[in-house]
């Protein structure tokens, strides 16, 4: 290469680096697939809620002069997909089914890490209701929040008890509307998550079914994803976000922090007792691990297949190449956590034990 060519090459490299720096976002926007609660608004059940409550991302980006914006969506996963499509958010905390639906509809995203695994599903009914089991839901008016990660699990739970979704009179209601409808006897029963424990403890509902302690295939997974174009243009910022989420996951996986964790999540408006009930007899490390192991991959594959079978999506979706664990792997290596969490096989059984076993 002659001197002129070398000069041109150096100039081209300088221009490329300058362009990359110019593209660095001055605002990082994170969408959360829940209405949340509290002041400031936050959510629980995920290490992401710890990140939010402790202002960890804001602190991490302060030196760079980058602003962090959190946006909460009452419309849950479907509303987050719309925001991603319109490029109103850069990152999204969301459940597995709406993520699959978004991918099926052409959203270009990358799944970075898990942030809330094996979330349970419950069926509740009014305290005086004669309903006592899943089979009793036949021909009953039942609330299901369609398009969310609980929807497909509800379908599979019904199927395991000899029912199809068409065998119930399904009503599409968000969490708040479902609670109001059940209390006023506008519906006979409702599928939902930990938000129902507060209603139960107020004497306004009873739990007639729980996925706790059952086949982990009946649980819901949530993870953090990023828009492909944002990741491509801002890899350093993506790494910083992942680093912070992994730090929070480590803290939230420590059994010594169980009480403090539930108190942080309580800031979302969901009582401490509800988190204690949701995580009863379950290791924090299993629920709060950020790892993309064989269990997580298998669950996403199953969700994609079931969503197509149930016609919730119109075309086959592959998860190949969707999980981008480069940032997670780097965070684990940097923080000395490569063997901190257990890894699970496709069925949900321990595949490799962590270096430090749970103390619970």
């Amino acid at each position: 290469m002659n001197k002129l060519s070398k000069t041109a090459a150096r100039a081209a490299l300088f221009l490329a680096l300058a362009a990359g720096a110019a593209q660095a976002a001055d605002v990082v926007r994170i969408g959360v697939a829940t209405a949340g609660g509290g002041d400031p608004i936050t959510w629980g059940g995920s290490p992401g809620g710890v990140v939010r409550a402790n202002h960890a991302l804001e602190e991490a980006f302060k030196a760079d002069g980058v602003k962090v914006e959190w946006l909460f969506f009452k419309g849950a996963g479907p509303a987050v997909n719309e925001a991603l499509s319109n490029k109103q958010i850069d990152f999204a905390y969301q459940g597995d089914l709406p993520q699959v639906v978004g991918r099926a509809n052409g959203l270009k995203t990358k799944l970075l890490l898990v942030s809330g695994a094996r979330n349970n599903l419950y069926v509740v009914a009014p305290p005086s209701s004669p309903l006592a089991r899943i089979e009793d839901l036949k021909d009953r008016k039942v609330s299901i929040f369609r398009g969310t990660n609980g929807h497909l699990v509800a379908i599979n739970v019904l199927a395991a008890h000899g029912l199809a979704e068409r065998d119930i009179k399904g009503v599409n209601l968000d969490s708040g509307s479902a609670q109001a409808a059940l209390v006023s006897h506008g519906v006979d029963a409702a599928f939902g998550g930990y938000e129902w424990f507060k209603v139960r403890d107020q004497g306004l509902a009873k739990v007639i079914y729980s996925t706790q302690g059952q086949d982990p295939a009946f649980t819901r997974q949530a993870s953090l994803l990023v828009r492909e174009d944002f990741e491509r243009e801002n890899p350093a910022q993506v790494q910083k976000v992942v680093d912070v989420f992994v730090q929070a996951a480590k803290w939230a996986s420590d059994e010594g922090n169980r009480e403090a964790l539930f108190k942080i999540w309580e800031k979302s408006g969901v009582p401490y007792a509800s988190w204690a009930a949701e995580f009863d007899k379950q290791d924090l490390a299993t629920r709060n691990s950020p790892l993309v192991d064989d269990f997580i991959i298998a669950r996403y594959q199953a969700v994609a297949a079931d969503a197509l079978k149930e016609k919730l999506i119109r075309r086959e979706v592959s998860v190949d190449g969707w999980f981008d664990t480069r940032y997670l792997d780097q965070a684990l290596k940097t923080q000395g956590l490569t063997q901190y969490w257990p890894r699970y096989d496709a069925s949900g059984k321990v595949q490799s034990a962590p270096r430090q076993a749970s103390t619970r």
Side-chain angles (χ1 to χ4, degrees), residues 211-226:
T211 60
Q212 278 195 23
Q214 300 195 45
D215 188 338
F218 287 151
T219 61
R220 305 170 288 162
Q221 323 309 317
S223 59
L224 182 74
L225 54 74
V226 63

Side-chain angles (χ1 to χ4, degrees), residues 76-111:
V80 167
N81 280 342
E82 184 176 350
L84 284 168
S85 178
N86 294 329
K87 296 189 176 182
Q88 295 171 324
I89 56 176
D90 310 307
F91 295 85
Y93 167 80
Q94 197 179 26
D96 46 28
L97 176 58
Q99 288 173 335
V100 166
V101 171
R103 187 168 175 83
N105 290 334
L107 285 182
K108 301 297 183 181
T109 59
K110 291 184 176 182
L111 289 166

Side-chain angles (χ1 to χ4, degrees), residues 133-144:
R133 55 181 189 158
I134 295 295
E135 290 82 355
D136 296 337
L137 299 181
K138 183 175 175 61
D139 297 325
R140 296 286 189 161
K141 189 181 292 186
V142 182
S143 169
I144 296 182

Side-chain angles (χ1 to χ4, degrees), residues 94-96 116-119 149 216 219-222 295-296 299-300:
Q94 197 179 26
D96 46 28
R118 305 195 187 205
N119 294 285
N149 66 348
T219 61
R220 305 170 288 162
Q221 323 309 317
F295 172 73
I296 295 298
R299 290 315 311 145
Y300 271 83

